[in-house]
Amino acid sequence: MDYSVVIPVYDERDNLAILLQSLTEVMDSLGKEYEVICVNDGSRDGSDEVLRDLERKYGRLKVVEFERNYGLTAALDAGFSMAKGDIVITMDADMQNDPEDIPKLLKEIGDYDVVCGVRSRRHDPWSRIVSSRIANYVRNKVTRENITDVGCTLRAYRSKFLSRLKLFDGMHRFLPTLLKWEGAKVVEVEVSHHPRLYGRTKFGVWNRVFRAFIDFLAVVWMKRRRLNYRIKE
Ligand code: UDP
Ligand code: MG
């Protein structure tokens, strides 16, 4: 299998059919073997039924059903462990990411192991854009990182690096950093971003500021304490 597209889904009923349609067009045009894995993270809006219908329509779609909502990192982790592709592509289910950007990510991965999308013209409320900029700045300064946009799910990963990760809730924001520790070469490319047309964002101030800050402290700790020895003889 060449590519696995992993998509976390939490209450995205009205986005799923549009997403599968445009994603399939793009993936078919690449002429490679691929699968699409939608992880339904405890949706309560009927996304499960929509996914079941779509599974009948699209032979390449596989659906993972969580018992309840476990969060974005868990959904990605479940997708990663099911994925059979040499390259795993992740994207949001809400059509804020654009499947048309996938070929661009895949072009870059030739020389790299992880390609991260950067939403250069973000279509979210200005308060979110400003708070993300500040958070990204602080995060990069303290952890001596240079990841421009930790909140962009649209990425491509060489799967052999993903299998080395042991993830914790909230770590979806730090995947590029964790993967660098595993030796991955990471690059960024600009991707487009669209306003959310259906459904609502799942991340409020609490999750994005307070929880993300605690997670950030955990990563600072991990950076300091991580085993990074070299053997001389
Ligand atoms: N999501 C998920 N579980 C959660 C929260 C979000 O699977 O607990 C999914 C959601 O359905 C979407 C993606 O993660 O596909 C990103 O969420 P959202 O669009 O709400 O984030 P935002 O774009 O507002 O940062
Ligand atoms: Mg979104």
Side-chain angles (χ1 to χ4, degrees):
M1 179 81 69
D2 298 298
Y3 306 131
S4 299
V5 186
V6 171
I7 306 174
V9 177
Y10 183 35
D11 288 352
E12 304 286 3
R13 182 186 58 201
D14 299 322
N15 293 310
L16 296 167
I18 314 169
L19 169 70
L20 259 297
Q21 160 103 42
S22 60
L23 176 63
T24 302
E25 274 170 28
V26 171
M27 294 308 293
D28 283 347
S29 75
L30 298 172
K32 300 268 188 171
E33 264 308 295
Y34 74 93
E35 62 181 355
V36 178
I37 302 173
C38 282
V39 183
N40 182 13
D41 185 14
S43 300
R44 280 174 292 187
D45 69 341
S47 291
D48 53 342
E49 278 174 31
V50 178
L51 284 171
R52 269 198 296 276
D53 284 345
L54 291 170
E55 220 173 4
R56 278 190 286 272
K57 185 169 171 196
Y58 297 97
R60 295 175 187 275
L61 172 64
K62 292 162 193 162
V63 179
V64 181
E65 283 286 340
F66 274 178
E67 275 181 11
R68 61 170 174 83
N69 177 246
Y70 289 108
L72 178 51
T73 308
L76 290 174
D77 188 75
F80 293 162
S81 51
M82 252 193 84
K84 295 200 187 75
D86 298 329
I87 291 171
V88 175
I89 298 146
T90 56
M91 66 184 296
D92 287 349
D94 59 3
M95 289 302 286
Q96 288 201 267
N97 296 142
D98 197 327
E100 302 264 343
D101 283 321
I102 291 176
K104 200 170 164 183
L105 300 186
L106 294 174
K107 220 165 112 192
E108 286 295 321
I109 208 158
D111 301 324
Y112 294 90
D113 305 307
V114 179
V115 184
C116 301
V118 174
R119 300 165 294 178
S120 49
R121 294 179 56 205
R122 234 175 114 175
H123 293 272
D124 276 323
W126 68 268
S127 54
R128 281 197 66 171
I129 297 175
V130 171
S131 60
S132 292
R133 287 245 167 96
I134 297 171
N136 281 320
Y137 177 81
V138 175
R139 207 177 275 124
N140 281 329
K141 266 271 174 236
V142 177
T143 53
R144 295 212 187 94
E145 260 293 4
N146 54 355
I147 306 295
T148 316
D149 188 3
V150 296
C152 182
T153 315
L154 184 57
R155 290 182 183 149
Y157 305 91
R158 262 184 223 289
S159 61
K160 67 172 185 195
F161 287 94
L162 292 175
S163 55
R164 298 181 195 170
L165 293 177
K166 175 83 187 94
L167 292 179
F168 295 83
D169 191 17
M171 285 298 114
H172 61 271
R173 291 193 180 88
F174 299 94
L175 288 175
T177 300
L178 302 183
L179 288 162
K180 278 185 188 174
W181 295 349
E182 299 300 330
K185 285 198 282 175
V186 178
V187 70
E188 296 187 320
V189 296
E190 280 190 16
V191 294
S192 37
H193 191 245
H194 304 293
R196 199 183 238 284
L197 291 181
Y198 304 104
R200 18 195 303 228
T201 177
K202 310 304 175 313
F203 299 108
V205 173
W206 168 254
N207 193 297
R208 295 182 49 255
V209 179
F210 298 104
R211 283 206 54 173
F213 182 69
I214 312 250
D215 298 340
F216 162 71
L217 294 180
V219 173
V220 172
W221 180 88
M222 281 197 265
K223 187 178 158 76
R224 291 199 169 193
R225 293 285 206 275
R226 132 189 126 84
L227 299 180
N228 191 20
Y229 54 81
R230 295 202 190 139
I231 293 171
K232 200 160 74 181
E233 295 183 9

